[in-house]
Amino acid sequence: MAQAASSTSETVVGSTTTIVETTVEVRSVAPGKTKRQIDNLYPPKSHALQISKYGDTSVFQWAEVSTVQIQSPYDIIIKVSAAGVNPFDYKFRKGNYAVFGKVKFPLVLGLEFSGIVVAKGEKVNKVHLLDKIWGTIRGGCYSEFIRVNTATEYGVALKPTSVSHIEAAGAPICALSAYGALVTLGELPVGDKAEAGKHKVLIIGASGGVGTFAVQIAKVLCKAKVTAVCSGANAELVRRLGADKVVDYTIQDFTADENDYDVVVDCVGNQNDFYHKTIPLLKKKGTFVSVAFDNDDNKVSLGDLTKLSFQYVGRKFFGARKYRALYGVNRKDFSKLVPYFERHEIKTVVAEKFPLREAAKAHEKIETRRTAGKIILTT
Ligand SMILES: NC(=O)c1ccc[n+]([C@@H]2O[C@H](COP(=O)([O-])OP(=O)(O)OC[C@H]3O[C@@H](n4cnc5c(N)ncnc54)[C@H](OP(=O)(O)O)[C@@H]3O)[C@@H](O)[C@H]2O)c1
């Protein structure tokens, strides 16, 4: 499919947790596993949930396809166990991003997955058959099998055994978005450089896919004081994730609350114009980060992009507080997050699961934009 999320700034080199290959060594089958077991898992024909045009959920087609094959010595074939659903998927399905260029139909949506390696190229040495892998690629995860090039895909890693396929499939895109918003664009310090309680963060849309990770990353990695905005029904969930304070936007005006935030992260967007509403809440050198710069129902037009760039330039040179928009995830950051999942310091909140071929139901659900956590598709 078309490239899903472009990178904001792919400048940070991943650590050892991702599987990007550099040297040559061949090992075919994980110890104790026979080739017959692998063959059973890798049939010549399989299924993918395709769309053959933009439109509503009726465009999904459960198609029998030739199972993907190894094409480069660095490729691995993964039998997908679960795939995460993101608002990007339904916006793309509806044609909201058509302005970014023509795509070739039929195509398969899906930016994140967790699954099992069933074949590998001869130069793949960090991954073995039957290893469990999770991560984000640039599309195609609504399939029973995917091909991943281990030489170029930085957002893919060995899945910790402590994390289930379901949890793993829902993590990469939203966790990377939250990290990008808070650390890359919000410039909050992490780990040893972070001082407990020094920075204050406001997260709008704290109960959604990105928001649930933003609360955890702000607390665990950035050691910040977190105020979370969500509906009362999800207040307890967000509190459990670590929020110091929860404001129910349905009964309280959070803009009338505290006013010394270092970073405001907007995971809701749409017509709310949280930038102007939250400028007075930011410290002088504070940063507003929009994760959701596009509207749900509108197609992104060239006019929108021009307006956004002018607004950006205007704010950069004339505005006191920074406005930053997250346009995509930096897959090279994935390796930094994996250990936190392994130690259960960051978790995926699973809202609901659907069988892959019923992704239409999952899309109808996520389009309501009232999902608490992540929706997952299972094969
Ligand atoms: N730039 C990127 O790379 C990138 C990456 C990922 C996502 N995104 C975008 O970021 C946005 C958020 O994604 P997501 O996965 O978090 O979406 P999501 O899971 O659909 O978000 C749903 C959440 O939004 C909350 N919400 C809805 N209206 C609200 C309001 N007025 N005030 C506060 N909270 C409100 C809901 O909370 P309650 O039910 O509690 O009200 C719900 O929990 C989407 O537009 C997505 O396309 C961008």
Side-chain angles (χ1 to χ4, degrees):
M1 65 170 278
Q3 299 303 293
S6 61
S7 163
T8 13
S9 55
E10 303 228 353
T11 49
V12 188
V13 177
S15 76
T16 51
T17 24
T18 48
I19 56 173
V20 176
E21 295 289 346
T22 47
T23 52
V24 180
E25 178 209 319
V26 184
R27 222 177 91 182
S28 54
V29 182
K33 304 295 175 189
T34 66
K35 185 160 184 313
R36 181 173 296 279
Q37 276 174 283
I38 306 292
D39 289 344
N40 289 345
L41 291 173
Y42 187 28
K45 293 279 180 192
S46 54
H47 292 90
L49 194 70
Q50 299 178 337
I51 61 167
S52 49
K53 58 179 177 183
Y54 292 130
D56 61 23
T57 54
S58 66
V59 298
F60 280 123
Q61 287 171 346
W62 184 244
E64 190 183 60
V65 294
S66 297
T67 307
V68 281
Q69 303 285 319
I70 299 286
Q71 282 184 351
S72 104
Y74 291 103
D75 282 349
I76 52 175
I77 305 294
I78 294 167
K79 183 179 190 308
V80 175
S81 301
V85 178
N86 288 285
F88 177 91
D89 304 353
Y90 80 76
K91 294 178 191 176
F92 192 98
R93 191 205 72 230
K94 284 163 65 172
N96 289 13
Y97 301 125
V99 68
F100 293 110
K102 277 204 163 168
V103 297
K104 208 171 147 215
F105 291 110
L107 59 81
V108 179
L109 298 168
L111 301 172
E112 52 189 357
F113 70 92
S114 182
I116 300 167
V117 179
V118 291
K120 63 178 211 155
E122 60 192 14
K123 291 191 176 171
V124 175
N125 63 53
K126 291 185 183 169
V127 179
H128 307 299
L129 295 183
L130 297 182
D131 275 352
K132 297 179 178 73
I133 304 284
W134 61 324
T136 164
I137 55 172
R138 287 153 210 275
C141 298
Y142 290 11
S143 297
E144 289 179 334
F145 291 85
I146 55 172
R147 178 177 45 242
V148 173
N149 185 319
T150 59
T152 56
E153 290 291 359
Y154 289 90
V156 173
L158 288 169
K159 182 180 76 61
T161 46
S162 54
V163 181
S164 72
H165 281 303
I166 304 275
E167 293 167 315
I173 284 289
C174 287
L176 281 170
S177 303
Y179 184 89
L182 291 161
V183 181
T184 312
L185 300 181
E187 296 179 65
L188 288 172
V190 293
D192 292 345
K193 292 188 183 136
E195 203 179 303
K198 182 173 178 201
H199 293 96
K200 275 185 73 177
V201 177
L202 176 70
I203 298 165
I204 308 168
S207 53
V210 178
T212 47
F213 285 112
V215 171
Q216 297 178 83
I217 289 173
K219 284 306 296 179
V220 177
L221 276 76
C222 309
K223 301 175 190 163
K225 260 183 96 181
V226 175
T227 300
V229 179
C230 66
S231 64
N234 294 323
E236 189 44 43
L237 163 75
V238 169
R239 214 170 271 124
R240 273 204 314 271
L241 295 174
D244 298 284
K245 184 171 178 181
V246 181
V247 183
D248 175 356
Y249 68 91
T250 64
I251 51 169
Q252 271 172 282
D253 176 9
F254 68 87
T255 62
D257 204 51
E258 298 174 44
N259 62 2
D260 54 349
Y261 292 104
D262 296 277
V263 179
V264 172
V265 180
D266 174 15
C267 307
V268 177
N270 283 327
Q271 315 297 343
N272 292 295
D273 194 11
F274 287 127
Y275 173 66
H276 286 105
K277 288 180 189 159
T278 57
I279 284 180
L281 313 189
L282 279 167
K283 280 183 189 162
K284 211 163 186 184
K285 294 204 167 167
T287 306
F288 175 92
V289 183
S290 171
V291 174
F293 70 93
D294 57 338
N295 290 327
D296 280 5
D297 297 321
N298 299 341
K299 291 191 172 29
V300 177
S301 68
L302 281 174
D304 290 335
L305 295 177
T306 313
K307 193 171 139 203
L308 201 68
S309 348
F310 273 114
Q311 284 176 347
Y312 174 78
V313 170
R315 284 160 186 157
K316 187 164 173 63
F317 294 107
F318 305 109
R321 272 93 174 163
K322 288 184 271 267
Y323 171 94
R324 289 179 169 169
L326 185 85
Y327 298 105
V329 298
N330 182 354
R331 290 178 166 78
K332 288 183 179 173
D333 287 334
F334 190 49
S335 60
K336 297 176 191 159
L337 295 173
V338 173
Y340 294 95
F341 282 95
E342 192 162 16
R343 296 193 296 264
H344 278 267
E345 288 169 0
I346 300 177
K347 293 181 199 134
T348 308
V349 175
V350 178
E352 221 169 326
K353 293 175 280 177
F354 293 89
L356 173 59
R357 64 186 299 170
E358 292 174 22
K361 287 186 192 160
H363 273 220
E364 278 152 20
K365 201 92 193 197
I366 199 162
E367 278 184 60
T368 64
R369 300 302 304 278
R370 301 309 298 267
T371 311
K374 293 285 301 190
I375 294 182
I376 310 294
L377 302 172
T378 54
T379 57

